[in-house]
Amino acid sequence: MTTAMGAALRRIQLGNALSAFGNGFTVPFLFIYVAQVRDLGAGIAGMALAALAVAALVVLPFTGRVIDRRGPLPVVLAGSIAAAIGALVLGVVGTAPLVIAAAGLLGAGFAVIQPALATLIVWCSTTRTRSRAFAMQFFLNNLGLGIGGLFGGLLVDPEHPSSFVRLFAIEAAMFLVLAVTVATVRLPKGYGAGAEVPAGERSKGGSRAVLRDRAMVQLCVLGFVMFFACYGQFESGLSAFAVEVTRISPAMLGTALAANTAAIVLTQFVVLKLVEGHRRSRVIALVGLIWTVAWLFAAFSGLVHGSHAIALSAIISTYALFGIGEAMLSPTVAPLVADLAPSSLIGQYNSAFALVKQLALAVGPAVGGLLAGAGWYVAYIAMLVICSLGISVLALRMGRRLTPAQDNPLLAVPAPVPAQRQTATEQVATAA
């Protein structure tokens, strides 16, 4: 990695961390704000949350093409400004249509930022450094969200709507900081909209090219199952299970969520060292097994009625194990998407995977909520144990379609010493 690439990457990571910090101020409190502070009711609050997801689903299919044609920098700037406006409007309006519209604008802006930032990270990293770069992004995201949520909880007061105005103003300011930070990034020479793409790597057809890539399609299916079985359950089925079946208090549920964040923050770089150099498909398969154990811990917590401490420990362990699995995926999945993509379609590959993630995050809570609402907790746990085992199976099957360099990025660049010896041998042969 050159000095210019490293400097650009540091700016991108800083802006990303600050935007996550601002986002953490409002995300945990959006439902309460709309339903109780603005007195619009749970139905409108649910519609506002749905607007966040729907807006993302609407804009993501077009985002990748724009990134590949115009470059990721303008997309980050446009998304940051849109998200900032959405956050500011949410903090001051009090009618249902405006709240829903502002939530949609916030969701659309935030959605397009993600694949654009991922493309920038790809541009500012090498095959050998990409896993570490994406692990750092994930680490800073979770650290920013956690600290933002902590400070937001200290500042917020449901009795004083002005406290929520401050939260949304801080979020808007952080999105603008992201825009300013990224606008000052000096990309390495040869990168940017219209940069020359090697003739052998030019691809046509956009989304059709993505669909023709069997390995990418398998990764998208795998990604849907992963996000459905983990991230999509945190705020719906798993929370309901913990409160209704394990019978922990809402305060202890917050502790369990904190255990998830702590597991990510504390283990991210330890896990990174352990997974570097190993086949990506096998790392993802191991995550499936870890999440299977996590769901079995959750089931166990619901069966231990005689000891509340044991049940509480089991459900906290569930959240912590999910965090360890997430830490293993961060240096694995996003870099794999980048390594599968031709140079001319990096934005569309990133956007396609972001769309799959958003679909899973929309379907996951809906399915989890329905099963939890009906009280079908045995079926709920069984479904997610099967999904977790399915992650392992799908990962191993996908590994058969990956090239050795795609499955293990350290194989993509030959070691320098053997390369030098080969060159010397060729020179002797030529002289003879």
Side-chain angles (χ1 to χ4, degrees), residues 12-175:
I12 293 164
Q13 299 283 34
L14 174 62
N16 181 61
L18 292 174
S19 68
F21 173 74
N23 209 27
F25 267 86
T26 61
V27 169
F29 312 108
L30 183 58
F31 187 91
I32 295 173
Y33 169 73
V34 176
Q36 298 180 12
V37 177
R38 291 301 178 186
D39 198 25
L40 295 176
I44 298 301
M47 292 177 66
L49 291 173
L52 290 169
V54 171
L57 294 176
V58 170
V59 299
L60 280 172
F62 309 100
T63 302
R65 189 177 296 274
V66 176
I67 291 173
D68 289 329
R69 289 184 175 181
R70 303 295 181 185
L73 285 175
V75 177
V76 174
L77 295 177
S80 299
I81 293 170
I85 294 172
L88 280 176
V89 174
L90 268 174
V92 297
V93 300
T95 62
L98 288 176
V99 165
I100 294 171
L105 185 60
L106 174 60
F110 188 72
V112 301
I113 289 171
Q114 301 311 304
L117 283 176
T119 303
L120 282 172
I121 291 173
V122 172
W123 283 7
C124 297
S125 61
T126 65
T127 302
R128 284 183 173 273
T129 63
R130 195 160 293 149
S131 293
R132 188 166 293 271
F134 277 103
M136 177 61 77
Q137 182 200 31
F138 186 72
F139 170 81
L140 293 174
N141 262 333
N142 281 275
L143 187 62
L145 286 170
I147 296 175
L150 176 62
F151 278 95
L154 295 174
L155 293 176
V156 73
D157 184 355
E159 301 299 325
H160 296 87
S162 61
S163 66
F164 285 87
V165 175
R166 286 196 297 271
L167 295 188
F168 285 107
I170 291 171
E171 180 180 30
M174 291 300 100
F175 278 120

